[in-house]
Amino acid sequence: MTSERSLGGVVLAGGYSTRFGESDKAVADLAGTPMIRRVVDRLATVTDDLVVNCRDDQLEAIRAALAGSDLEPRYATDPVPDRGPLAGIQVGLEAVDREYTAVVACDMPFVDPALLETLHDRACGRDGAVVRLEDGWYQTTQAVYRADAMAEACAETLDSEDKRIVAALERIDIVEVGENDLEGVSERTFEGIDTQEALAEAERRMRR
Ligand SMILES: Nc1nc2c(ncn2[C@@H]2O[C@H](COP(=O)(O)OP(=O)(O)OP(=O)(O)O)[C@@H](O)[C@H]2O)c(=O)[nH]1
């Protein structure tokens, strides 16, 4: 399916998980399922072209974690590792084959597909839709972008002094979505699991 309403997906997994310790959080087991598999399976319900961005040295473990998952992803590895999430977003968006694409970090296993559909609706005709929480923080790694516009903005931003993801957002025409517009969306959607403590706490909650 490649209709106008078709949504692509990029899962960002190319970081070094330093806060997580020795192991890669992307493939960490959360209540019996690797975190990245939870993200991929949720994305598979609303996307039909999925790209996982990671480093070459992660490929084997991530492929194993995703074997037999609901939507077989393609892989786009970083030509230069450790250039930060913005570079990962660029690599992923350049590889995806859909005009609009949801970008989600591998450490957000509770991502709500309903949010991604809402963001897709809001992004139409613009370069993206990004949630901005009341504290002013943009949720850039759980957002929908027009793939070519955001990939170009990432490239320009990486070549400039200010390499933050929000600096790339300033180069494109995004719709800001406020917390008040998130009715019906799971409040856990933005929960990131970037430490062992956060993983243990999420497991405790899920087993209750
Ligand atoms: N391709 C790529 N992705 C990255 C890079 N750094 C972070 N990411 C991804 O961007 C998302 C958000 O980054 P962080 O939560 O800071 O992840 P991280 O850098 O692995 O973790 P820490 O080292 O603990 O900060 C995660 O999905 C990471 O996999 C990078 O250098 N390259």
Side-chain angles (χ1 to χ4, degrees), residues 14-179:
Y16 282 87
S17 313
T18 49
R19 284 167 291 170
F20 200 70
E22 293 298 297
S23 56
D24 183 1
K25 63 184 170 184
V27 295
D29 182 287
L30 170 58
T33 305
M35 273 218 284
I36 192 167
R37 189 175 180 116
R38 290 181 178 275
V39 174
V40 163
D41 286 347
R42 282 169 177 246
L43 271 168
T45 65
V46 290
T47 63
D48 58 5
D49 182 40
L50 196 56
V51 170
V52 170
N53 161 251
C54 62
R55 303 182 309 275
D56 284 325
D57 60 82
Q58 293 173 291
L59 266 180
E60 195 180 334
I62 292 181
R63 276 191 208 279
L66 296 180
S69 54
D70 296 345
L71 181 61
E72 186 66 35
R74 296 183 290 118
Y75 293 86
T77 57
D78 292 341
V80 180
D82 209 15
R83 288 190 78 205
L86 190 58
I89 294 173
Q90 183 191 346
V91 171
L93 289 178
E94 283 176 348
V96 80
D97 191 21
R98 294 293 180 273
E99 181 179 14
Y100 287 99
T101 293
V103 171
V104 181
C106 66
D107 63 354
M108 294 178 141
F110 306 112
V111 52
D112 187 345
L115 169 67
L116 303 178
E117 290 205 299
T118 299
L119 294 177
H120 187 194
D121 289 342
R122 301 292 299 275
C124 278
R126 310 279 295 270
D127 292 337
V130 183
V131 173
R132 188 173 196 189
L133 298 179
E134 259 152 38
D135 59 9
W137 195 259
Y138 287 97
Q139 291 292 333
T140 55
T141 59
Q142 196 169 132
V144 168
Y145 301 106
R146 195 200 294 266
D148 57 0
M150 183 58 173
E152 196 180 325
C154 291
E156 288 169 4
T157 304
L158 286 164
D159 276 343
S160 68
E161 214 155 281
D162 183 357
K163 299 186 195 314
R164 293 171 308 144
I165 303 178
V166 287
L169 296 189
E170 284 168 13
R171 295 174 186 269
I172 60 174
D173 172 33
I174 59 155
V175 179
E176 279 186 23
V177 176
E179 274 180 75

